[in-house]
Amino acid sequence: MSTSSPSTPLRQRFQPLWWLGIAYVVLGAVTRIALLVMSGKGVPPNPLYYLYAFGIGLGYDLVTLLYVAWPLMLYLWLMPVRAYVSRAGQWGLYLLGLILLFGLMFVAASELTFWNEFSTRFNFIAVDYLVYTTEVIGNIRESYPIGRWISLLALATLAIVFVTRRGLRASDGGTRFLQRGKVVLVWLVLTVLSTVAVKGTLKDRLDNAYVNELSGNGIYEFFAAFRSSHLDYTRFYRTLPEDQAFRDVRAMIKTPEATYLSNDPHDLTREIRHAGPEKHLNVVLISVESLSADFMQHFGASHGNITPNLDALAEQGMFFDNLYANGTRTVRGLEALSLSIPPTPGDSVIKMHNNENLFSLADIFNDRGYQSDFVYGGYGYFDNMNYFFAHNGYRTVDRNDIGKDQTIHHENVWGVADEDLYTLALRQMDQIHQNGKPFFLHIMTTSNHRPFTFPAGRVKERNGTREGAVAYTDWSIADFINRARSKPYFDDTVFVITADHCASSAGRSSVPINRYHIPLLIYAPKYIQPQHVKALMGQVDIAPTVLGLLNFSYRSRFFGADIFQLPEGQRRAFPATYEKLGYLKGDVLTVLEPQRKLEQVHPDFDSGDATPITPIDSKQVDQATAFYQVAATLFKNGKMVRRPEDSTPVQPAAATSTPVPAAASTVH
């Protein structure tokens, strides 16, 4: 009997599959239109862009349909004919259709909120967030009217199913189980083939990242990101012969005040030697949540005058104009600040297994009798922060350490308000000082994170907005420093203020460089004269630069370097996503990608756009490859760990043997 006629029992049986397919394709198109509108000027009016986004997008929607339709496919296959066409079978089909359609519409709505925050389809961030459902669900509830949205989605789902209920009619003129099984087998073969043949990166063919993202499918991208959460560098990325890679890195991180302790080409250990005594000053490192450089007046104040205090401090301390973050997630910033390493593909080292006892900034302070604390206003189990820091030289202090009898002016799902976090930090500083020890505190803030809520009456900007949160962040930093002024240890404390990452990662290029530009301010009025440093600097350079200002002589395996010692031709930064590994040097940005692909561009530092370079500068490609390959290899092989001999005291250099870092001049 032919199965091509509309009247055949087999066609009747699987008619609901057509209903789901049409509904999903229409939903995909509507979602794509909404995301296109949200992209604004990111997608120039170009019919070819639209054709690509919707044409390729339809293909990904159909591939995804193979997966999402399996619950319905199994129902249509397994239900016996008599049960299927019964009243109960019909209502079961309606219920299954309602559940599937509501789930797909909920995912589509979730994509809109995700795009609003990250300007991308679901990716590794979405996968990452699923581990921390308390924070994520709480953030959604505090940021959006989720109850109203779910109610509206439920009503819309009911209306659609009611209007299109003919497509869900349970009709079967007498199919057999094995006959239905042939259809299921074909569906299974197509599913397996699509898994093998279709990759999420196939769509990334245009020079506009927005269009590439629009042409994808959120559900498909989510599972593709899940599969790539652990990317082995040597398997997926361009490599060099190992000896060459290590040799190149040793040359690129060598600075005048550094001496390698071994001729072993795979050993990066070097002695950093400064002339004169060390300054055992207290250090407070503040990594501010999502503090983009362009929030500040000095960089154009894209959101108005919302950082007056930081702008004032920038003229009173050492301010760095040309610093670029390692990534777009908090863990990437923490990784760079504590370990001074380029980002690894996939997961951050902070979240990986075997990340204990690594060579860290805290170890260098601890060897000098410091107490090193990581202070966080939320619960530090999030993103594995407490585990990582507790096993790498830091004492962890978080929301659990704020007693019930202590004042909390405001808190949301991410943690207490920044002013309350600073109160917690001041308590630690007081206690350590009373114990007669210098302190190193790394403070991680949370207030500049959606839902952007903070105590009333602090700033004129509206609560619950990005502008308000940045203004409050600025106010709370000034309040913290003003409170610290009254402390006996203030004059001997260095405040280092920077960001974990920018507030947005959106851009038309794959690594929009303007979305990595962050500020850095080092403030210690008794010891550091006001100056602006214009040299290109990576986030990995912050720790060695601070140690250089303290005149520390120590053993190091950091990938970063003291910016005042690093020759101009060796200055670089490592802006990256979880898959795309960037290497910025001069006006050239090299990006390494999975499947051993690469791109090289001249980035526009203002807009984030990029112009491809032809021919490619192979020397910079090799440099980028060497840095990322060596970092990944060292961690994979357990060679980033701290060694007992790392505590060996390093004798200061002779007074005339090492150039004096610029202490009161502009460095270009």
Side-chain angles (χ1 to χ4, degrees):
M1 179 183 293
S2 172
T3 61
S4 62
S5 171
S7 61
T8 63
L10 201 61
R11 183 68 176 268
Q12 293 171 356
R13 179 72 167 214
F14 286 96
Q15 179 180 326
L17 199 59
W18 282 96
W19 173 88
L20 180 63
I22 293 171
Y24 189 55
V25 167
V26 171
L27 181 61
V30 171
T31 302
R32 211 161 269 113
I33 291 171
L35 297 179
L36 176 61
V37 172
M38 293 171 67
S39 301
K41 296 180 180 179
V43 181
N46 185 333
L48 292 179
Y49 280 163
Y50 304 149
L51 182 63
Y52 189 89
F54 285 88
I56 301 298
L58 174 61
Y60 275 100
D61 290 347
L62 292 175
V63 168
T64 307
L65 178 65
L66 293 171
Y67 299 91
V68 301
W70 268 105
L72 179 59
M73 177 63 75
L74 292 174
Y75 184 88
L76 298 175
W77 174 39
L78 297 174
M79 282 289 286
V81 174
R82 183 172 298 179
Y84 179 69
V85 300
S86 69
R87 184 179 182 87
Q90 177 65 81
W91 280 104
L93 187 57
Y94 284 151
L95 179 61
L96 181 57
L98 276 168
I99 292 172
L100 287 173
L101 184 59
F102 177 80
L104 295 173
M105 291 180 66
F106 182 84
V107 169
S110 301
E111 273 209 86
L112 299 183
T113 62
F114 192 82
W115 186 280
N116 184 53
E117 183 76 13
F118 300 105
S119 297
T120 181
R121 294 280 195 171
F122 289 144
N123 60 14
F124 185 66
I125 298 174
V127 176
D128 215 21
Y129 275 3
L130 278 189
V131 179
Y132 304 101
T133 53
T134 300
E135 285 78 6
V136 174
I137 293 174
N139 183 41
I140 292 171
R141 291 179 62 187
E142 292 176 358
S143 303
Y144 305 101
I146 192 67
R148 186 189 312 162
W149 286 8
I150 289 178
S151 299
L152 291 174
L153 283 174
L155 289 173
T157 303
L158 286 169
I160 293 171
V161 171
F162 179 78
V163 171
T164 63
R165 62 189 182 279
R166 287 173 61 95
L168 284 172
R169 186 169 57 188
S171 178
D172 188 330
T175 62
R176 295 185 298 275
F177 180 78
L178 291 178
Q179 189 181 17
R180 299 194 301 272
K182 293 178 181 179
V183 177
V184 176
L185 180 61
V186 171
W187 199 267
L188 177 62
V189 170
L190 290 174
T191 303
V192 173
L193 287 176
S194 70
T195 303
V196 174
V198 181
K199 304 296 181 185
T201 55
L202 291 177
K203 61 181 173 51
D204 299 331
R205 303 296 184 189
L206 299 186
D207 58 358
N208 187 300
Y210 284 105
V211 179
N212 289 333
E213 289 294 329
L214 287 170
S215 64
N217 176 282
I219 296 175
Y220 186 91
E221 294 298 317
F222 177 87
F223 286 101
F226 182 82
R227 292 195 300 268
S228 63
S229 61
H230 299 283
L231 289 172
D232 182 271
Y233 182 89
T234 56
R235 179 182 175 189
F236 290 100
Y237 291 86
R238 186 183 187 276
T239 59
L240 295 170
E242 190 167 289
D243 285 348
Q244 178 187 340
F246 274 88
R247 185 171 61 250
D248 289 352
V249 168
R250 277 172 60 103
M252 289 186 288
I253 63 175
K254 175 71 171 67
T255 50
E257 89 289 21
T259 304
Y260 281 106
L261 292 179
S262 166
N263 291 325
D264 179 356
H266 292 192
D267 187 2
L268 304 184
T269 307
R270 53 208 186 276
E271 285 190 341
I272 308 296
R273 304 174 69 208
H274 289 104
E278 298 183 347
K279 303 172 185 175
H280 288 183
L281 305 176
N282 305 304
V283 176
V284 177
L285 168 60
I286 306 172
S287 49
V288 181
E289 172 67 42
S290 304
L291 185 64
S292 301
D294 64 6
F295 287 144
M296 298 181 64
Q297 286 277 1
H298 183 75
F299 297 112
S302 61
H303 290 68
N305 185 21
I306 55 178
T307 59
N309 297 295
L310 283 172
D311 288 318
L313 284 173
E315 301 306 318
Q316 300 168 27
M318 183 182 288
F319 191 71
F320 297 77
D321 293 343
N322 207 12
L323 170 68
Y324 291 88
N326 266 28
T328 59
R329 297 290 316 285
T330 293
V331 286
R332 291 303 190 186
L334 298 179
E335 176 185 270
L337 292 168
S338 60
L339 301 178
S340 185
I341 60 172
T344 50
D347 269 331
S348 162
V349 165
I350 287 180
K351 304 185 70 173
M352 288 187 185
H353 296 296
N354 303 315
N355 66 355
E356 302 88 355
N357 194 37
L358 305 180
F359 184 84
S360 74
L361 177 59
D363 291 327
I364 296 170
F365 282 111
N366 295 343
D367 286 340
R368 286 152 177 79
Y370 281 70
Q371 171 63 52
S372 298
D373 287 0
F374 174 72
V375 187
Y376 180 58
Y379 294 100
Y381 71 86
F382 182 77
D383 269 348
N384 205 45
M385 288 185 288
N386 272 1
Y387 183 87
F388 170 80
F389 282 102
H391 288 81
N392 285 284
Y394 297 78
R395 179 176 64 180
T396 56
V397 182
D398 69 359
R399 176 68 179 81
N400 290 306
D401 294 289
I402 302 177
K404 294 183 179 179
D405 59 333
Q406 294 173 317
T407 301
I408 295 177
H409 295 87
H410 180 80
E411 66 178 318
N412 57 35
V413 68
W414 295 112
V416 298
D418 283 358
E419 63 188 87
D420 300 317
L421 167 64
Y422 292 132
T423 298
L424 175 62
L426 283 167
R427 194 177 77 197
Q428 302 304 120
M429 293 155 67
D430 290 344
Q431 182 184 63
I432 299 168
H433 179 73
Q434 289 170 6
N435 292 337
K437 301 179 71 174
F439 53 77
F440 165 52
L441 260 67
H442 184 162
I443 304 172
M444 181 67 228
T445 76
T446 61
S447 289
N448 192 28
H449 192 297
R450 191 177 295 278
F452 308 131
T453 56
F454 49 86
R458 299 295 191 261
V459 296
K460 68 180 186 299
E461 286 76 11
R462 188 161 58 89
N463 214 315
T465 66
R466 171 69 80 181
E467 291 76 13
V470 174
Y472 172 71
T473 294
D474 175 76
W475 176 91
S476 61
I477 290 173
D479 178 67
F480 171 51
I481 291 178
N482 286 334
R483 284 191 279 164
R485 289 185 197 279
S486 65
K487 304 294 184 179
Y489 48 75
F490 176 79
D491 283 346
D492 294 323
T493 300
V494 179
F495 295 89
V496 182
I497 304 169
T498 189
D500 56 351
H501 56 81
C502 282
S504 172
S505 57
R508 286 189 287 239
S509 61
S510 61
V511 179
I513 199 62
N514 62 324
R515 301 305 189 186
Y516 292 81
H517 189 200
I518 58 175
L520 170 63
L521 166 66
I522 301 179
Y523 178 71
K526 185 177 178 180
Y527 293 93
I528 296 178
Q529 296 299 312
Q531 62 178 287
H532 280 255
V533 181
K534 299 183 181 298
L536 173 64
M537 185 176 182
Q539 207 170 16
V540 297
D541 299 318
I542 293 177
T545 298
V546 171
L547 296 175
L549 291 171
L550 296 175
N551 218 44
F552 279 15
S553 296
Y554 61 100
R555 290 193 176 189
S556 174
R557 278 189 298 282
F558 290 154
F559 281 75
D562 180 351
I563 196 64
F564 295 108
Q565 298 287 344
L566 192 63
E568 183 175 355
Q570 293 173 227
R571 294 171 186 162
R572 70 287 161 277
F574 301 96
T577 69
Y578 73 99
E579 280 190 327
K580 298 179 185 295
L581 309 177
Y583 177 74
L584 176 65
K585 188 174 182 183
D587 66 345
V588 176
L589 175 62
T590 303
V591 181
L592 308 178
E593 302 175 3
Q595 282 77 55
R596 294 181 169 79
K597 297 178 182 177
L598 67 91
E599 60 177 317
Q600 196 173 72
V601 298
H602 289 302
D604 186 315
F605 290 88
D606 295 322
S607 70
D609 292 345
T611 304
I613 293 176
T614 305
I616 282 177
D617 183 338
S618 59
K619 181 179 180 181
Q620 292 208 26
V621 172
D622 286 349
Q623 291 174 353
T625 301
F627 268 119
Y628 283 109
Q629 179 181 339
V630 168
T633 299
L634 287 175
F635 180 77
K636 180 180 179 181
N637 296 334
K639 297 298 179 64
M640 280 189 180
V641 297
R642 175 174 167 79
R643 307 168 188 168
E645 59 269 24
D646 291 335
S647 296
T648 303
V650 175
Q651 294 301 313
T656 57
S657 65
T658 302
V660 178
S665 63
T666 299
V667 178
H668 295 279

